[in-house]
Amino acid sequence: MIAVVGHTAIDHLFRVPQIPGRHNSTYITDHKIYFGGGAANIAAGIATLGERCRLVSSVGGDFPGSDYDLWMHNLGIMQDFTLVKEARTATAFVFTDDAGDQETFFEWGASVAFATAEAPALDFVHMATADPDFNVRVAQMSEFASFDPGQDLLRYTPDQLEIILANIDILFSNNHEMDRMCDMLGLERDALVASVPMVVTTRGAEGSVLCMDGEEHQIPAVRVNAVDPTGAGDGYRAGFLTAFERGYAPVDCCRAGAVVSSFVVEKAGTQTNLPDWDKMLERYRKVFGEPGEIFT
């Protein structure tokens, strides 16, 4: 079973002509509400691909019995939730412009409960956006861990980041997050990459890069008619982690991640177009050919 730690949230996705600069304004051309939260998106992707998944998260009094609650039950996600009855479930306000640039404003809501929650000891865990101290404790107690700092990176201290990096097996990040971590830790990118056994850096339309054992592997993006980039990285992690759990080689895991990500961006909403394993494999074979052998 794959455990995922982090936010369950409600996504408010807005379309605007252009992200306005400071002291400027713009108008909204579209506004839709979807299920979201980085950890919940990854968990939904893993469950849809057919792998067992445990979601360690925190939700508000508005969640039990909601459509989102029912959706998770139908997917078979094991809910390991802290319920904060007096709070709202975390909410993300995501603004995307016609050029594909994004800005996100995140209301933590019930997710503040992570700060005082007891961290579980897990065999295989992915730590998504969540309270930094909670993720530190999870990293220290878990057998095998992966981590992506996401947009919560600004909440980490250098010390917290150093502890997590010393206790993980896989680091996921995009180029911006990688640069920021290097700045926070005073490291060159090569030194940061060398400090973790496996590093996956996503680069949007330019694909992704896998670094391990001193080697670098370039993985192209899967070209589709992209409608909305929100949740692409979460889809990538879901595909990678599911393939990894099933014993595929890391390069093939990256390719599986790229394929799942390509489904996500075809529709607005982070959980509206997730593929099952057969659909993922069908597109995988068209783009990359047959995946390599499974290692047990």
Side-chain angles (χ1 to χ4, degrees):
M1 176 183 288
I2 303 171
V4 185
V5 170
H7 298 299
T8 297
I10 305 299
D11 283 350
H12 288 252
L13 304 187
F14 301 88
R15 297 291 306 197
V16 295
Q18 186 175 11
I19 300 294
R22 188 180 181 192
H23 300 312
N24 286 298
S25 64
T26 189
Y27 57 92
I28 293 167
T29 58
D30 190 49
H31 175 199
K32 290 185 172 64
I33 302 173
Y34 297 99
F35 304 148
N41 293 337
I42 297 168
I46 291 168
T48 304
L49 288 165
E51 198 62 42
R52 294 168 60 234
C53 187
R54 171 183 177 184
L55 176 58
V56 182
S57 193
S58 182
V59 296
D62 55 345
F63 187 85
S66 67
D67 289 343
Y68 201 175
D69 188 12
L70 180 62
W71 166 250
M72 285 193 185
H73 280 294
N74 289 339
L75 287 177
I77 296 171
M78 176 184 170
Q79 296 177 345
D80 186 352
F81 287 172
T82 298
L83 176 61
V84 186
K85 292 182 178 179
E86 67 278 9
R88 285 194 300 266
T89 299
T91 307
F93 301 90
V94 184
F95 296 83
T96 306
D97 69 13
D98 293 341
D101 292 327
Q102 279 189 340
E103 283 194 357
T104 300
F105 299 84
F106 193 77
E107 178 187 6
W108 273 60
S111 286
V112 297
F114 278 120
T116 55
E118 182 177 350
L122 301 163
D123 293 331
F124 180 9
V125 60
H126 177 72
M127 295 172 291
T129 50
D131 179 80
D133 182 64
F134 186 77
N135 273 351
V136 165
R137 289 180 279 129
V138 170
Q140 290 173 320
M141 297 175 63
S142 296
E143 184 69 25
F144 187 97
S146 62
F147 169 65
D148 73 85
Q151 291 168 332
D152 282 343
L153 180 57
L154 58 88
R155 300 176 68 98
Y156 284 81
T157 66
D159 286 346
Q160 289 171 326
L161 199 54
E162 283 181 351
I163 294 170
I164 287 180
L165 293 175
N167 283 278
I168 60 172
D169 302 274
I170 308 172
L171 171 65
F172 294 95
S173 74
N174 60 32
N175 264 331
H176 302 296
E177 293 157 358
M178 183 65 74
D179 288 342
R180 188 178 180 96
M181 284 188 285
C182 288
D183 289 341
M184 291 172 65
L185 298 173
L187 294 174
E188 296 295 327
R189 184 175 288 211
D190 288 347
L192 176 56
V193 167
S195 70
V196 180
M198 196 182 309
V199 177
V200 179
T201 307
T202 54
R203 304 168 65 189
E206 297 179 11
S208 55
V209 180
L210 167 68
C211 296
M212 61 179 297
D213 299 328
E215 296 185 0
E216 185 174 287
H217 306 269
Q218 303 283 337
I219 295 89
V222 178
R223 303 297 180 183
V224 295
N225 181 25
V227 172
D228 192 313
T230 312
D234 297 331
Y236 188 106
R237 290 148 179 68
F240 182 104
L241 294 168
T242 301
F244 192 86
E245 173 74 353
R246 295 184 176 188
Y248 286 87
V251 170
D252 290 322
C253 295
C254 290
R255 292 170 178 158
V259 172
V260 175
S261 179
S262 75
F263 278 94
V264 172
V265 301
E266 287 181 312
K267 290 186 179 179
T270 55
Q271 300 179 29
T272 53
N273 198 43
L274 295 168
D276 61 22
W277 186 257
D278 289 339
K279 285 183 179 179
M280 189 281 294
L281 274 183
E282 181 181 2
R283 185 173 290 185
Y284 184 110
R285 292 183 176 117
K286 288 179 180 177
V287 178
F288 298 112
E290 197 67 29
E293 65 176 306
I294 297 175
F295 299 93
T296 57

